[in-house]
Amino acid sequence: MRYWKSRAIHNEQLMKERTDETIKKVNALYDDVNTGLTQSALKILQRYCTWHNLTVDNALKLLDEKQTKEYIGQLLETLKEVTDVQKKAEIMAKINAPAYAARISRIQAMQSLIIAEAYSVGYKSSKLAEIRLINEYKQSYYQEHYTIQHGTGLAYDFSRISNHDVKAAIQTEWKGSNYSKRIWKDTEKLAKVLEDTITQGLMTGMTFREMEEIFDKKIHSSRTNINRIIRTETAFCASKGREEAIKDAGIEKYIFIATLDLRTSTICRELDGKVFLVKDAEVGKNKPPMHPNCRSTDGAYIDGKNRKELKRRAKNPITGENELVPQNMSYAEWHKKYVVENKNSMRARANEEAIKKYGIKNPYNLTDEELKQRIKHNT
């Protein structure tokens, strides 16, 4: 049992390190947008007032059409980074409205710029999260197979997971939503709060420093929320990847493993070491993540009965022979041999697809080119 728990804890630490790298990139985006909004919205207007010795109200009244066009130009440049069609259409509709076509105030332009900037950082964060989740699902899937094979000393055949299946898996909604919806919900909230800050600040005579401090707090709060979403969604996808591998191996049980320190929640402490049936697994009830920022993990539970079942499954689908996993084989070496270079596994899958789709009579006589095309189709 010590081996299985230590491997699960080790894999959880690797996942945390990979997730931290993604979060660093997301935090850099929020730092950039904070600086950009301050420069584009607050300092530009502040300098205009200072240069002309004007109040904010008088400065807004004196803005001419040329300056307005220049500001819209900045907005359009920002919009190029917003690839969400619906969000971009909403902002463009506002820009093209009659009030904008004739003459708009600087405050309206700043509001639109803020919305575009918020959506831009939201989109980039969502894409970074998607890349992390896809990679984490795959890593957890293969690492769990490695853990099982290395722990039992057996090598068995399993499916090389396709990108299509992984993308479908990470889109799975749990607790009523998924990573994309959660990120966009927070993005829209951030855009509204920043827009209101500009409006209320200029209407109530708030100083630029006061508005800048509010910007800092709101953007920091949103960044914290996105970090939490990415950590929790990554834990969810890793858990689903491990579950798929456990099912592939024909194992019926998994063990819940909590990180035992003072930060661990009561529910995770209570579940630590408990064994559950895979068919009864439910995220948030008996399978991590149990809550936002959950650090608990799980792994295959191997008892005597399961070892016997694994032996019966430990056959190469082509040769019908059992294989042994060297005790000193690293994960990288295992992944290369049994995933990347496993021609037998790929050929078997390609032939199964060929039989279903093309009715080929001799499934194991595909040419290399046919094999290549089938593999491409499946991945």
Side-chain angles (χ1 to χ4, degrees), residues 104-343:
I104 63 171
S105 68
R106 178 63 65 106
I107 187 172
Q108 289 173 307
M110 283 193 293
Q111 288 171 335
S112 295
L113 180 62
I114 286 171
I115 293 172
E117 289 279 8
Y119 284 148
S120 177
V121 74
Y123 169 76
K124 292 176 181 177
S125 297
S126 181
K127 295 304 294 183
L128 284 171
E130 180 179 312
I131 293 170
R132 175 72 270 135
L133 298 184
I134 288 174
N135 289 338
E136 202 56 54
Y137 187 98
K138 289 182 177 181
Q139 289 272 17
S140 296
Y141 175 79
Y142 293 128
Q143 282 178 332
E144 190 64 20
H145 274 301
Y146 167 74
T147 297
I148 295 169
Q149 293 191 12
H150 201 262
T152 60
L154 296 167
Y156 53 85
D157 184 64
F158 57 90
S159 299
R160 193 168 110 176
I161 198 164
S162 70
N163 287 333
H164 174 77
D165 290 339
V166 174
K167 288 182 179 180
I170 70 169
Q171 290 292 342
T172 301
E173 293 193 6
W174 60 287
K175 299 281 186 183
S177 191
N178 61 23
Y179 80 96
S180 182
K181 291 182 179 179
R182 289 185 172 98
I183 289 177
W184 277 112
K185 181 178 179 180
D186 188 80
T187 296
E188 291 173 347
K189 179 180 177 181
L190 174 63
K192 185 67 170 62
V193 168
L194 296 181
E195 181 182 12
D196 290 345
T197 299
I198 284 289
T199 304
Q200 295 170 8
L202 294 179
M203 289 179 63
T204 60
M206 190 182 296
T207 67
F208 292 106
R209 180 57 187 166
E210 289 172 334
M211 281 191 278
E212 188 174 348
E213 289 177 353
I214 294 176
F215 268 41
D216 287 341
K217 290 179 181 179
K218 298 303 180 184
I219 291 174
H220 176 75
S221 176
S222 180
R223 178 171 59 188
T224 301
N225 290 339
I226 297 299
N227 288 352
R228 183 186 67 250
I229 290 171
I230 292 176
R231 290 190 189 282
T232 307
E233 292 289 337
T234 300
F236 170 76
C237 288
S239 181
K240 296 299 290 184
R242 290 191 297 270
E243 181 179 327
E244 195 64 27
I246 292 171
K247 289 178 179 178
D248 277 358
I251 298 173
E252 299 177 349
K253 300 176 183 179
Y254 69 93
I255 183 171
F256 191 103
I257 303 168
T259 301
L260 298 181
D261 57 25
L262 296 178
R263 295 167 51 200
T264 302
S265 66
T266 301
I267 183 61
C268 288
R269 294 183 189 188
E270 292 175 351
L271 290 172
D272 181 56
K274 291 187 176 182
V275 177
F276 301 94
L277 292 174
V278 174
K279 67 181 182 65
D280 295 332
E282 184 177 340
V283 172
K285 181 180 180 181
N286 57 15
K287 185 175 179 61
M290 298 296 298
H291 50 77
N293 284 327
C294 183
R295 296 174 297 143
S296 296
T297 184
D298 56 22
Y301 179 74
I302 312 292
D303 55 21
K305 180 182 177 182
N306 279 330
R307 284 180 182 274
K308 293 179 181 178
E309 291 177 350
L310 272 174
K311 288 180 182 178
R312 288 200 295 271
R313 286 177 171 81
K315 292 182 181 294
N316 186 297
I318 305 301
T319 65
E321 297 177 356
N322 289 330
E323 296 181 8
L324 296 178
V325 178
Q327 286 299 314
N328 61 349
M329 177 179 278
S330 68
Y331 173 73
E333 292 169 336
W334 175 90
H335 187 273
K336 181 179 180 181
K337 179 177 179 179
Y338 291 101
V339 179
V340 178
E341 298 177 350
N342 189 353
K343 298 290 181 63

